Amino acid sequence: MTSPKVRDSLELPELQVIEEWVNLPEHTPGKFDQVNNPLMASESSSHFSNIDVSSTFHLANHLPFTPDLAILSHDRVYFYVSKKHLISSSSNHFGGLLEIPSPSSNIHTHQVTVEDSAQVLNVILHAVFNISCDVYHPTFEVIQHALRCMPAYGLDPATYLLPSFPLYPLLISCAATNPIHVYALAAQHGAVELAFHASSHLLSYELDTISDELAVQMGPLYLKKLFFMHIRRKEALKNILRITPHTHADLEGCTAKARHQLTNEWASAAMALDLRQDLPVHVIKGRLQIVAEKLDCKECIENVSKRVEEVGVAWSQIKCTI
């Protein structure tokens, strides 16, 4: 993101023109507006034509603040927001655009121009004003770019990745289809809750395919957490399978030799399993239940079936997140 530009009200009449829109009927975003496009229908005035305005941040909308600042995106979309709120949310007066003038100055900033696109600025402003932008369905790439731009405006991306902010559920939905990149993003900003959730979708991820770029982004700590999640679950499955079914005392027709066969069959079935961290419960139970089919003793069969159920319960209780 390049340095934003600032103009003052002495140069631009746009704010006065747009103030005439206060009495316009409320805009109902159409399908085009809501699919990754932050625009409302273009408006025209006696001074301007084809003025594109945000369908959320416009003067006819009922927002919990009084707009006193127009932000113009690189692709010429207007966003009407509260200057006071932006200054209080930013550590550098929104990239130096909103420096408070000295008492001797009579110039007050009413419009600023930034180099970011409307899609990116839309995500940033929705986050800052704690408004959900899910109606626009921003892609993960747009959200990630918006977070990358935030520091230039004096905004801390980690703040807006907390569960209490509307970007969090958007990224949760992205994690279902793009978990490794959501995890890396969360790791980069120390967003523990988001990383925790994204990791649950990475049980089947081949860790040896992680690129150097992703590894650098997530850092050594969260990269280690991901590897240890896989290792921990594999070891847990081995330990669960080591416990063989209970054996009974000698019975007519079931000798110690026959019971030793049960133990050997169980060990063989366990070794034949592909001990993966993402192995489904039904696959494990199905393979182990075959042991019972090779037995004649009714009590041995019941003991195998009981142990198979215990294995399924134990495996389903193993932690499946970092």
Side-chain angles (χ1 to χ4, degrees):
M1 189 193 79
T2 57
S3 299
K5 301 173 183 178
V6 59
R7 306 179 190 176
D8 61 59
S9 61
L10 299 180
E11 298 174 338
L12 290 168
E14 283 93 337
L15 194 61
Q16 289 129 358
V17 172
I18 305 304
E19 283 171 351
E20 299 173 6
W21 299 357
V22 172
N23 296 321
L24 290 173
E26 290 188 21
H27 169 70
T28 302
K31 181 179 180 182
F32 178 73
D33 299 311
Q34 295 182 357
V35 181
N36 214 5
N37 193 313
L39 309 186
M40 67 181 293
S42 298
E43 301 287 355
S44 63
S45 70
S46 58
H47 299 278
F48 295 93
S49 61
N50 297 325
I51 298 175
D52 293 324
V53 184
S54 161
S55 58
T56 297
F57 297 99
H58 64 92
L59 294 176
N61 203 358
H62 298 294
L63 296 169
F65 56 82
T66 301
D68 59 359
L69 174 72
I71 302 179
L72 181 62
S73 69
H74 179 70
D75 43 355
R76 304 199 64 76
V77 179
Y78 286 90
F79 295 78
Y80 288 89
V81 296
S82 165
K83 185 192 305 183
K84 180 180 179 181
H85 187 87
L86 282 183
I87 291 175
S88 65
S89 301
S90 171
S91 63
N92 65 359
H93 295 88
F94 206 64
L97 296 176
L98 305 178
E99 293 289 357
I100 300 175
S102 64
S104 61
S105 173
N106 61 357
I107 297 177
H108 300 280
T109 303
H110 288 314
Q111 174 170 315
V112 295
T113 303
V114 299
E115 296 299 328
D116 292 308
S117 70
Q119 287 187 2
V120 170
L121 185 59
N122 190 51
V123 171
I124 292 173
L125 292 177
H126 275 80
V128 172
F129 287 91
N130 205 15
I131 302 172
S132 174
C133 60
D134 60 350
V135 67
Y136 303 105
H137 307 291
T139 64
F140 172 76
E141 290 73 22
V142 169
I143 296 172
Q144 182 172 238
H145 188 69
L147 289 165
R148 191 179 297 128
C149 292
M150 282 183 176
Y153 294 112
L155 305 171
D156 181 10
T159 298
Y160 302 103
L161 294 178
L162 294 172
S164 57
F165 282 85
L167 274 185
Y168 183 83
L170 275 177
L171 287 168
I172 289 294
S173 64
C174 291
T177 55
N178 198 359
I180 191 64
H181 287 94
V182 173
Y183 180 83
L185 178 69
Q188 179 185 6
H189 297 290
V192 178
E193 295 89 348
L194 183 58
F196 184 86
H197 181 89
S199 69
S200 67
H201 297 284
L202 293 171
L203 291 179
S204 300
Y205 193 83
E206 298 295 340
L207 299 184
D208 58 355
T209 65
I210 293 177
S211 66
D212 293 344
E213 182 182 1
L214 276 177
V216 170
Q217 183 183 4
M218 65 180 67
L221 177 61
Y222 279 86
L223 183 61
K224 183 184 77 170
K225 285 177 179 289
L226 201 54
F227 273 89
F228 275 30
M229 177 182 73
H230 282 213
I231 294 170
R232 183 183 66 242
R233 283 182 57 85
K234 287 180 181 179
E235 290 300 317
L237 183 55
K238 288 180 184 178
N239 291 333
I240 290 170
L241 295 174
R242 282 194 185 103
I243 303 176
T244 59
H246 175 72
T247 55
H248 56 75
D250 284 347
L251 293 173
E252 185 177 353
C254 187
T255 63
K257 183 178 180 180
R259 295 194 300 276
H260 184 66
Q261 180 189 358
L262 183 159
T263 303
N264 289 340
E265 292 289 352
W266 179 272
S268 296
M271 291 178 63
L273 283 170
D274 181 15
L275 298 183
R276 291 181 52 85
Q277 70 284 343
D278 61 340
L279 197 59
V281 170
H282 73 273
V283 172
I284 299 173
K285 292 173 66 175
R287 298 287 178 82
L288 294 177
Q289 192 60 44
I290 294 175
V291 175
E293 298 174 3
K294 299 178 179 181
L295 304 174
D296 296 322
C297 173
K298 182 179 179 181
E299 189 165 345
C300 286
I301 293 172
E302 290 177 354
N303 287 340
V304 168
S305 297
K306 181 180 178 181
R307 181 57 194 153
V308 168
E309 291 301 317
E310 291 172 349
V311 167
V313 171
W315 181 231
S316 64
Q317 292 176 343
I318 299 300
K319 186 179 178 183
C320 59
T321 56
I322 58 171

Short mmCIF file of all heavy atoms in Angstrom, two decimals, residues 15 54 56-59 61-71 78-90 93-94 97-98 109-112 121 124-131 153 155 160:
data_model
loop_
_atom_site.label_atom_id
_atom_site.label_comp_id
_atom_site.label_asym_id
_atom_site.label_seq_id
_atom_site.Cartn_x
_atom_site.Cartn_y
_atom_site.Cartn_z
N LEU A 15 -18.24 16.86 -0.43
CA LEU A 15 -18.98 16.62 0.80
C LEU A 15 -20.26 17.42 0.82
O LEU A 15 -21.31 16.94 1.23
CB LEU A 15 -18.11 16.96 2.02
CG LEU A 15 -18.64 16.44 3.35
CD1 LEU A 15 -18.71 14.93 3.32
CD2 LEU A 15 -17.77 16.90 4.50
N SER A 54 -20.26 3.62 -1.10
CA SER A 54 -20.40 2.38 -0.33
C SER A 54 -21.86 2.16 0.05
O SER A 54 -22.57 3.09 0.44
CB SER A 54 -19.55 2.46 0.94
OG SER A 54 -19.97 1.51 1.89
N THR A 56 -22.80 0.52 2.55
CA THR A 56 -22.88 0.58 4.01
C THR A 56 -22.56 1.96 4.53
O THR A 56 -23.33 2.56 5.29
CB THR A 56 -21.91 -0.43 4.66
OG1 THR A 56 -22.29 -1.76 4.30
CG2 THR A 56 -21.95 -0.31 6.19
N PHE A 57 -21.44 2.51 4.08
CA PHE A 57 -20.98 3.80 4.61
C PHE A 57 -21.43 4.94 3.69
O PHE A 57 -20.64 5.53 2.96
CB PHE A 57 -19.45 3.77 4.76
CG PHE A 57 -18.97 2.75 5.74
CD1 PHE A 57 -18.50 1.52 5.30
CD2 PHE A 57 -19.01 2.99 7.10
CE1 PHE A 57 -18.06 0.56 6.19
CE2 PHE A 57 -18.58 2.04 8.01
CZ PHE A 57 -18.11 0.82 7.56
N HIS A 58 -22.72 5.22 3.74
CA HIS A 58 -23.25 6.34 2.98
C HIS A 58 -24.18 7.15 3.89
O HIS A 58 -24.64 6.68 4.92
CB HIS A 58 -23.97 5.88 1.71
CG HIS A 58 -25.18 5.04 1.94
ND1 HIS A 58 -26.45 5.56 2.03
CD2 HIS A 58 -25.31 3.70 2.12
CE1 HIS A 58 -27.32 4.59 2.24
NE2 HIS A 58 -26.65 3.45 2.30
N LEU A 59 -24.47 8.38 3.49
CA LEU A 59 -25.15 9.31 4.38
C LEU A 59 -26.61 8.97 4.61
O LEU A 59 -27.21 9.42 5.59
CB LEU A 59 -25.02 10.73 3.83
CG LEU A 59 -23.60 11.30 3.83
CD1 LEU A 59 -23.57 12.66 3.17
CD2 LEU A 59 -23.05 11.36 5.24
N ASN A 61 -27.72 5.96 5.15
CA ASN A 61 -27.80 4.77 5.99
C ASN A 61 -27.89 5.18 7.45
O ASN A 61 -27.41 6.24 7.86
CB ASN A 61 -26.58 3.88 5.77
CG ASN A 61 -26.85 2.44 6.15
OD1 ASN A 61 -27.94 2.10 6.61
ND2 ASN A 61 -25.86 1.57 5.95
N HIS A 62 -28.52 4.33 8.27
CA HIS A 62 -28.65 4.60 9.70
C HIS A 62 -27.46 3.95 10.41
O HIS A 62 -27.53 2.80 10.85
CB HIS A 62 -29.97 4.05 10.22
CG HIS A 62 -31.17 4.70 9.59
ND1 HIS A 62 -31.49 6.02 9.76
CD2 HIS A 62 -32.11 4.19 8.75
CE1 HIS A 62 -32.59 6.31 9.09
NE2 HIS A 62 -32.99 5.22 8.45
N LEU A 63 -26.38 4.70 10.53
CA LEU A 63 -25.17 4.20 11.17
C LEU A 63 -25.08 4.76 12.59
O LEU A 63 -25.65 5.81 12.89
CB LEU A 63 -23.94 4.63 10.36
CG LEU A 63 -23.85 4.04 8.94
CD1 LEU A 63 -22.76 4.73 8.15
CD2 LEU A 63 -23.62 2.54 9.00
N PRO A 64 -24.38 4.04 13.48
CA PRO A 64 -24.28 4.48 14.88
C PRO A 64 -23.30 5.62 15.09
O PRO A 64 -22.68 5.74 16.14
CB PRO A 64 -23.83 3.21 15.60
CG PRO A 64 -23.04 2.46 14.58
CD PRO A 64 -23.73 2.73 13.27
N PHE A 65 -23.08 6.43 14.07
CA PHE A 65 -22.19 7.59 14.19
C PHE A 65 -22.61 8.62 13.14
O PHE A 65 -23.34 8.31 12.20
CB PHE A 65 -20.73 7.19 13.98
CG PHE A 65 -20.45 6.49 12.68
CD1 PHE A 65 -20.26 7.20 11.50
CD2 PHE A 65 -20.39 5.10 12.62
CE1 PHE A 65 -20.02 6.57 10.29
CE2 PHE A 65 -20.15 4.45 11.41
CZ PHE A 65 -19.96 5.19 10.24
N THR A 66 -22.15 9.83 13.33
CA THR A 66 -22.44 10.90 12.38
C THR A 66 -21.26 11.04 11.42
O THR A 66 -20.16 11.41 11.83
CB THR A 66 -22.66 12.24 13.11
OG1 THR A 66 -23.75 12.09 14.02
CG2 THR A 66 -22.98 13.34 12.11
N PRO A 67 -21.43 10.72 10.14
CA PRO A 67 -20.32 10.83 9.19
C PRO A 67 -19.85 12.27 9.03
O PRO A 67 -20.67 13.19 8.87
CB PRO A 67 -20.92 10.30 7.89
CG PRO A 67 -22.12 9.51 8.30
CD PRO A 67 -22.65 10.19 9.51
N ASP A 68 -18.55 12.45 9.10
CA ASP A 68 -17.99 13.78 8.88
C ASP A 68 -16.71 13.71 8.04
O ASP A 68 -15.96 14.68 7.96
CB ASP A 68 -17.70 14.49 10.21
CG ASP A 68 -16.74 13.70 11.09
OD1 ASP A 68 -16.31 12.60 10.68
OD2 ASP A 68 -16.42 14.18 12.19
N LEU A 69 -16.49 12.56 7.44
CA LEU A 69 -15.29 12.37 6.63
C LEU A 69 -15.61 11.46 5.46
O LEU A 69 -16.26 10.43 5.62
CB LEU A 69 -14.17 11.73 7.47
CG LEU A 69 -12.89 11.33 6.72
CD1 LEU A 69 -12.10 12.58 6.32
CD2 LEU A 69 -12.03 10.41 7.57
N ALA A 70 -15.16 11.85 4.28
CA ALA A 70 -15.30 11.02 3.08
C ALA A 70 -13.93 10.42 2.74
O ALA A 70 -12.95 11.15 2.64
CB ALA A 70 -15.81 11.84 1.91
N ILE A 71 -13.89 9.11 2.59
CA ILE A 71 -12.67 8.43 2.16
C ILE A 71 -12.91 7.93 0.74
O ILE A 71 -13.88 7.22 0.47
CB ILE A 71 -12.31 7.26 3.07
CG1 ILE A 71 -12.12 7.73 4.52
CG2 ILE A 71 -11.03 6.58 2.58
CD1 ILE A 71 -11.78 6.61 5.49
N TYR A 78 -16.69 6.20 -2.69
CA TYR A 78 -16.72 7.01 -1.49
C TYR A 78 -17.23 6.21 -0.30
O TYR A 78 -18.19 5.45 -0.42
CB TYR A 78 -17.64 8.23 -1.68
CG TYR A 78 -17.05 9.31 -2.57
CD1 TYR A 78 -17.26 9.28 -3.95
CD2 TYR A 78 -16.30 10.34 -2.02
CE1 TYR A 78 -16.72 10.26 -4.77
CE2 TYR A 78 -15.75 11.33 -2.84
CZ TYR A 78 -15.97 11.28 -4.20
OH TYR A 78 -15.44 12.27 -5.00
N PHE A 79 -16.60 6.43 0.85
CA PHE A 79 -17.01 5.84 2.12
C PHE A 79 -17.15 6.99 3.12
O PHE A 79 -16.19 7.73 3.35
CB PHE A 79 -15.97 4.84 2.63
CG PHE A 79 -15.79 3.62 1.77
CD1 PHE A 79 -15.05 3.68 0.59
CD2 PHE A 79 -16.36 2.41 2.13
CE1 PHE A 79 -14.88 2.56 -0.21
CE2 PHE A 79 -16.18 1.28 1.34
CZ PHE A 79 -15.45 1.35 0.16
N TYR A 80 -18.34 7.12 3.73
CA TYR A 80 -18.58 8.21 4.67
C TYR A 80 -18.54 7.67 6.09
O TYR A 80 -19.33 6.80 6.47
CB TYR A 80 -19.91 8.90 4.35
CG TYR A 80 -19.78 9.69 3.08
CD1 TYR A 80 -20.04 9.10 1.84
CD2 TYR A 80 -19.32 11.00 3.11
CE1 TYR A 80 -19.87 9.81 0.67
CE2 TYR A 80 -19.14 11.71 1.94
CZ TYR A 80 -19.41 11.11 0.73
OH TYR A 80 -19.21 11.82 -0.44
N VAL A 81 -17.60 8.17 6.88
CA VAL A 81 -17.30 7.60 8.19
C VAL A 81 -17.10 8.70 9.23
O VAL A 81 -17.15 9.89 8.92
CB VAL A 81 -16.02 6.72 8.12
CG1 VAL A 81 -16.22 5.53 7.20
CG2 VAL A 81 -14.82 7.56 7.65
N SER A 82 -16.85 8.26 10.45
CA SER A 82 -16.59 9.18 11.57
C SER A 82 -15.09 9.38 11.74
O SER A 82 -14.35 8.43 12.01
CB SER A 82 -17.19 8.61 12.86
OG SER A 82 -16.68 9.28 13.99
N LYS A 83 -14.66 10.61 11.61
CA LYS A 83 -13.24 10.93 11.77
C LYS A 83 -12.78 10.64 13.20
O LYS A 83 -11.70 10.09 13.42
CB LYS A 83 -13.00 12.40 11.43
CG LYS A 83 -11.54 12.83 11.46
CD LYS A 83 -11.40 14.34 11.42
CE LYS A 83 -12.11 14.94 10.23
NZ LYS A 83 -11.90 16.42 10.16
N LYS A 84 -13.62 10.99 14.17
CA LYS A 84 -13.27 10.78 15.58
C LYS A 84 -13.01 9.31 15.88
O LYS A 84 -12.06 8.95 16.57
CB LYS A 84 -14.37 11.33 16.48
CG LYS A 84 -14.11 11.17 17.97
CD LYS A 84 -15.26 11.74 18.80
CE LYS A 84 -14.99 11.56 20.29
NZ LYS A 84 -16.11 12.09 21.10
N HIS A 85 -13.87 8.45 15.36
CA HIS A 85 -13.70 7.02 15.62
C HIS A 85 -12.43 6.48 14.96
O HIS A 85 -11.71 5.66 15.56
CB HIS A 85 -14.92 6.24 15.11
CG HIS A 85 -14.90 4.79 15.47
ND1 HIS A 85 -15.39 4.31 16.66
CD2 HIS A 85 -14.41 3.70 14.81
CE1 HIS A 85 -15.23 3.01 16.72
NE2 HIS A 85 -14.64 2.60 15.60
N LEU A 86 -12.14 6.94 13.75
CA LEU A 86 -10.93 6.48 13.09
C LEU A 86 -9.69 6.91 13.87
O LEU A 86 -8.75 6.13 14.04
CB LEU A 86 -10.85 7.04 11.66
CG LEU A 86 -11.72 6.37 10.60
CD1 LEU A 86 -11.48 7.01 9.25
CD2 LEU A 86 -11.46 4.87 10.52
N ILE A 87 -9.68 8.15 14.34
CA ILE A 87 -8.52 8.65 15.09
C ILE A 87 -8.35 7.86 16.38
O ILE A 87 -7.22 7.49 16.76
CB ILE A 87 -8.68 10.16 15.38
CG1 ILE A 87 -8.56 10.96 14.09
CG2 ILE A 87 -7.64 10.63 16.39
CD1 ILE A 87 -8.81 12.44 14.24
N SER A 88 -9.46 7.56 17.07
CA SER A 88 -9.36 6.83 18.35
C SER A 88 -8.96 5.38 18.14
O SER A 88 -8.40 4.75 19.04
CB SER A 88 -10.70 6.90 19.08
OG SER A 88 -11.72 6.21 18.35
N SER A 89 -9.21 4.82 16.94
CA SER A 89 -8.87 3.42 16.67
C SER A 89 -7.45 3.26 16.14
O SER A 89 -6.92 2.15 16.12
CB SER A 89 -9.84 2.83 15.64
OG SER A 89 -11.17 2.90 16.10
N SER A 90 -6.86 4.35 15.68
CA SER A 90 -5.57 4.30 15.00
C SER A 90 -4.45 4.85 15.89
O SER A 90 -4.67 5.76 16.69
CB SER A 90 -5.65 5.11 13.70
OG SER A 90 -4.38 5.27 13.12
N HIS A 93 -3.14 8.30 13.48
CA HIS A 93 -4.12 9.17 12.83
C HIS A 93 -4.46 8.68 11.42
O HIS A 93 -4.50 9.45 10.46
CB HIS A 93 -3.66 10.63 12.81
CG HIS A 93 -3.55 11.24 14.17
ND1 HIS A 93 -2.41 11.16 14.93
CD2 HIS A 93 -4.46 11.91 14.92
CE1 HIS A 93 -2.60 11.77 16.09
NE2 HIS A 93 -3.85 12.22 16.11
N PHE A 94 -4.68 7.38 11.34
CA PHE A 94 -5.09 6.73 10.10
C PHE A 94 -4.08 7.02 8.99
O PHE A 94 -4.39 7.56 7.93
CB PHE A 94 -6.49 7.16 9.68
CG PHE A 94 -7.20 6.13 8.84
CD1 PHE A 94 -7.53 4.88 9.36
CD2 PHE A 94 -7.55 6.40 7.53
CE1 PHE A 94 -8.18 3.93 8.60
CE2 PHE A 94 -8.20 5.44 6.75
CZ PHE A 94 -8.51 4.22 7.30
N LEU A 97 -3.29 10.72 7.78
CA LEU A 97 -4.28 11.45 6.99
C LEU A 97 -5.12 12.39 7.85
O LEU A 97 -5.65 13.39 7.35
CB LEU A 97 -5.22 10.47 6.28
CG LEU A 97 -4.58 9.56 5.23
CD1 LEU A 97 -5.61 8.60 4.68
CD2 LEU A 97 -3.98 10.38 4.11
N LEU A 98 -5.26 12.06 9.11
CA LEU A 98 -6.20 12.78 9.95
C LEU A 98 -5.49 13.50 11.09
O LEU A 98 -5.99 13.54 12.21
CB LEU A 98 -7.24 11.80 10.52
CG LEU A 98 -8.00 10.98 9.48
CD1 LEU A 98 -8.95 10.02 10.16
CD2 LEU A 98 -8.75 11.89 8.52
N THR A 109 -9.89 18.67 7.56
CA THR A 109 -9.93 17.62 6.55
C THR A 109 -11.33 17.01 6.47
O THR A 109 -11.84 16.50 7.46
CB THR A 109 -8.92 16.51 6.88
OG1 THR A 109 -7.64 17.09 6.98
CG2 THR A 109 -8.93 15.44 5.80
N HIS A 110 -11.96 17.07 5.30
CA HIS A 110 -13.26 16.47 5.08
C HIS A 110 -13.19 15.30 4.11
O HIS A 110 -14.13 14.53 4.01
CB HIS A 110 -14.25 17.50 4.54
CG HIS A 110 -14.67 18.51 5.55
ND1 HIS A 110 -15.04 18.19 6.83
CD2 HIS A 110 -14.77 19.87 5.47
CE1 HIS A 110 -15.36 19.28 7.50
NE2 HIS A 110 -15.20 20.31 6.70
N GLN A 111 -12.11 15.18 3.37
CA GLN A 111 -11.97 14.06 2.43
C GLN A 111 -10.52 13.65 2.34
O GLN A 111 -9.62 14.50 2.33
CB GLN A 111 -12.48 14.45 1.04
CG GLN A 111 -12.21 13.34 0.01
CD GLN A 111 -12.91 13.59 -1.29
OE1 GLN A 111 -14.08 13.95 -1.30
NE2 GLN A 111 -12.22 13.38 -2.40
N VAL A 112 -10.30 12.35 2.29
CA VAL A 112 -8.96 11.81 2.06
C VAL A 112 -9.05 10.77 0.96
O VAL A 112 -10.09 10.15 0.74
CB VAL A 112 -8.35 11.18 3.34
CG1 VAL A 112 -8.12 12.23 4.40
CG2 VAL A 112 -9.24 10.06 3.86
N LEU A 121 -10.64 -1.58 1.20
CA LEU A 121 -11.04 -0.53 2.14
C LEU A 121 -12.36 -0.89 2.82
O LEU A 121 -12.57 -0.60 4.00
CB LEU A 121 -11.17 0.80 1.41
CG LEU A 121 -11.46 2.04 2.27
CD1 LEU A 121 -10.37 2.26 3.31
CD2 LEU A 121 -11.61 3.27 1.37
N ILE A 124 -11.57 -3.18 5.70
CA ILE A 124 -10.89 -2.45 6.76
C ILE A 124 -11.89 -1.62 7.57
O ILE A 124 -11.91 -1.66 8.81
CB ILE A 124 -9.79 -1.54 6.19
CG1 ILE A 124 -8.66 -2.38 5.61
CG2 ILE A 124 -9.25 -0.60 7.26
CD1 ILE A 124 -7.60 -1.58 4.88
N LEU A 125 -12.74 -0.88 6.89
CA LEU A 125 -13.67 0.01 7.59
C LEU A 125 -14.75 -0.76 8.34
O LEU A 125 -15.15 -0.38 9.44
CB LEU A 125 -14.30 1.00 6.60
CG LEU A 125 -13.33 2.02 6.01
CD1 LEU A 125 -14.03 2.90 4.98
CD2 LEU A 125 -12.69 2.87 7.09
N HIS A 126 -15.22 -1.86 7.77
CA HIS A 126 -16.18 -2.69 8.50
C HIS A 126 -15.56 -3.23 9.78
O HIS A 126 -16.22 -3.30 10.82
CB HIS A 126 -16.67 -3.85 7.62
CG HIS A 126 -17.82 -3.50 6.74
ND1 HIS A 126 -17.67 -2.83 5.54
CD2 HIS A 126 -19.16 -3.72 6.88
CE1 HIS A 126 -18.86 -2.66 4.98
NE2 HIS A 126 -19.78 -3.19 5.77
N ALA A 127 -14.28 -3.60 9.72
CA ALA A 127 -13.61 -4.10 10.91
C ALA A 127 -13.46 -2.99 11.95
O ALA A 127 -13.76 -3.20 13.15
CB ALA A 127 -12.24 -4.66 10.54
N VAL A 128 -13.01 -1.83 11.53
CA VAL A 128 -12.78 -0.72 12.45
C VAL A 128 -14.08 -0.29 13.14
O VAL A 128 -14.09 0.00 14.34
CB VAL A 128 -12.15 0.49 11.72
CG1 VAL A 128 -12.09 1.71 12.63
CG2 VAL A 128 -10.75 0.12 11.24
N PHE A 129 -15.17 -0.28 12.39
CA PHE A 129 -16.45 0.16 12.96
C PHE A 129 -17.27 -1.02 13.50
O PHE A 129 -18.44 -0.85 13.84
CB PHE A 129 -17.24 0.94 11.92
CG PHE A 129 -16.68 2.31 11.66
CD1 PHE A 129 -15.74 2.52 10.65
CD2 PHE A 129 -17.03 3.39 12.45
CE1 PHE A 129 -15.20 3.77 10.42
CE2 PHE A 129 -16.50 4.65 12.24
CZ PHE A 129 -15.57 4.85 11.22
N ASN A 130 -16.63 -2.19 13.57
CA ASN A 130 -17.24 -3.38 14.18
C ASN A 130 -18.58 -3.74 13.53
O ASN A 130 -19.57 -4.01 14.21
CB ASN A 130 -17.41 -3.18 15.69
CG ASN A 130 -17.45 -4.51 16.44
OD1 ASN A 130 -17.08 -5.55 15.90
ND2 ASN A 130 -17.92 -4.48 17.67
N ILE A 131 -18.59 -3.72 12.21
CA ILE A 131 -19.78 -4.07 11.42
C ILE A 131 -19.43 -5.27 10.54
O ILE A 131 -18.37 -5.31 9.92
CB ILE A 131 -20.22 -2.89 10.54
CG1 ILE A 131 -20.53 -1.65 11.38
CG2 ILE A 131 -21.44 -3.27 9.70
CD1 ILE A 131 -20.79 -0.40 10.56
N TYR A 153 -2.26 2.09 8.43
CA TYR A 153 -3.27 3.01 8.95
C TYR A 153 -3.24 3.08 10.48
O TYR A 153 -4.16 3.63 11.09
CB TYR A 153 -4.66 2.58 8.49
CG TYR A 153 -4.89 2.68 7.00
CD1 TYR A 153 -5.05 1.54 6.22
CD2 TYR A 153 -4.94 3.93 6.37
CE1 TYR A 153 -5.26 1.64 4.85
CE2 TYR A 153 -5.15 4.03 5.00
CZ TYR A 153 -5.31 2.88 4.26
OH TYR A 153 -5.51 2.99 2.89
N LEU A 155 -3.50 0.50 12.51
CA LEU A 155 -4.44 -0.48 13.04
C LEU A 155 -3.73 -1.80 13.30
O LEU A 155 -2.91 -2.23 12.48
CB LEU A 155 -5.59 -0.70 12.05
CG LEU A 155 -6.35 0.56 11.59
CD1 LEU A 155 -7.29 0.23 10.45
CD2 LEU A 155 -7.11 1.17 12.76
N TYR A 160 -8.44 -7.31 15.35
CA TYR A 160 -9.63 -7.61 14.56
C TYR A 160 -9.77 -9.10 14.25
O TYR A 160 -10.74 -9.50 13.59
CB TYR A 160 -9.61 -6.76 13.29
CG TYR A 160 -9.54 -5.29 13.61
CD1 TYR A 160 -8.34 -4.57 13.50
CD2 TYR A 160 -10.66 -4.62 14.11
CE1 TYR A 160 -8.28 -3.24 13.85
CE2 TYR A 160 -10.60 -3.28 14.45
CZ TYR A 160 -9.40 -2.60 14.33
OH TYR A 160 -9.34 -1.27 14.68
#
